[in-house]
Amino acid sequence: MSRTRPLAILGGTFDPVHHGHLRAAWEAAEALDAEVRLVPARTPPHRPPPVADASGRVALLRAALAGQDRLALDTRELDRDGPSYTVDTLASLRADIGPDRSLVLLVGADAFAGLASWHLWRDLFAFAHVGVLTRPGTLHPPSGELAAFIAGRRVERLQGPSGQVVDIAITPLDIAATAIRESFAAGGEPRFLMPTACFADEALLAPYRALGR
């Protein structure tokens, strides 16, 4: 019987999506031999509201993901009212895929270091593993209660449905959505930081170009 591939998710506002997001998701998919879904947040609890609305960010993601089948889009956070808490998303996914399939939450190393500030953060490990996206030469070691909690959970290869932590080395691409928005606001054209398909329809980037008006 063939092994069921893990399901991994990468969340964020994707405001806008760029090559840094996509390359990290792609390399995680290869490292874990996983299906990877990008999950845009509706109302991020720890940051200002996105510039583009939900439908605009979904349209950009669909354009960015066209032409390949390794990465997919999951809109469940956009379909749910209230703050986009990751623990709720993982609970929903676990209900969909059943108790046995491996589920992996992908987070950057800097975000992982601050995981203890997340809503019901310990419960994340009941639903999923955590894949920490690490860049060579950067260190964001966990401390305090997070370090104590994950002691013994770090592994080189994930096993079982949930509860472990694995590092996933990714190519360091110094691209930030903030810088892309600032470029648009200044009247720039930040090509090659985002997929070419995002520039094919002027309506896709209209919310960001409007920042400079």
Side-chain angles (χ1 to χ4, degrees):
M1 183 174 67
S2 63
R3 180 181 71 92
T4 301
R5 297 171 69 200
L7 170 62
I9 65 164
L10 178 65
T13 54
F14 302 107
D15 187 38
V17 62
H18 55 68
H19 284 308
H21 299 133
L22 298 170
R23 187 62 201 173
W26 188 271
E27 292 184 355
E30 291 184 326
L32 300 173
D33 187 23
E35 172 193 354
V36 174
R37 300 182 191 175
L38 277 63
V39 184
R42 175 173 178 166
T43 309
H46 302 302
R47 58 192 306 169
V51 169
D53 62 17
S55 62
R57 288 180 288 128
V58 165
L60 267 176
L61 279 162
R62 291 195 192 284
L65 295 173
Q68 56 79 48
D69 59 8
R70 184 180 289 275
L71 309 179
L73 174 63
D74 189 312
T75 61
R76 71 185 60 228
E77 289 191 358
L78 303 179
D79 300 332
R80 189 173 69 229
D81 292 333
S84 299
Y85 289 123
T86 300
V87 68
D88 297 332
T89 300
L90 293 178
S92 173
L93 284 161
R94 177 56 70 194
D96 285 352
I97 68 175
D100 299 325
R101 186 177 179 186
S102 181
L103 178 61
V104 187
L105 171 66
L106 301 174
V107 297
D110 53 346
F112 181 68
L115 196 71
S117 67
W118 291 27
H119 179 64
L120 299 176
W121 66 273
R122 291 178 181 84
D123 291 350
L124 301 174
F125 294 87
F127 296 116
H129 303 297
V130 177
V132 184
L133 305 174
T134 62
R135 294 172 171 82
T138 60
L139 294 174
H140 300 277
S143 60
E145 56 185 334
L146 176 60
F149 185 83
I150 66 169
R153 293 178 182 267
R154 282 194 181 273
V155 297
E156 293 187 3
R157 185 180 181 87
L158 296 174
Q159 295 183 346
S162 62
Q164 298 175 335
V165 178
V166 67
D167 289 332
I168 303 170
I170 61 170
T171 302
L173 298 180
D174 190 14
I175 304 173
T178 300
I180 291 173
R181 294 194 299 270
E182 290 173 350
S183 177
F184 278 119
E189 189 79 354
R191 287 183 178 269
F192 307 114
L193 299 179
M194 303 171 63
T196 301
C198 294
F199 293 85
D201 181 348
E202 290 189 5
L204 291 175
L205 295 172
Y208 306 103
R209 292 197 170 102
L211 293 171
R213 295 173 189 165

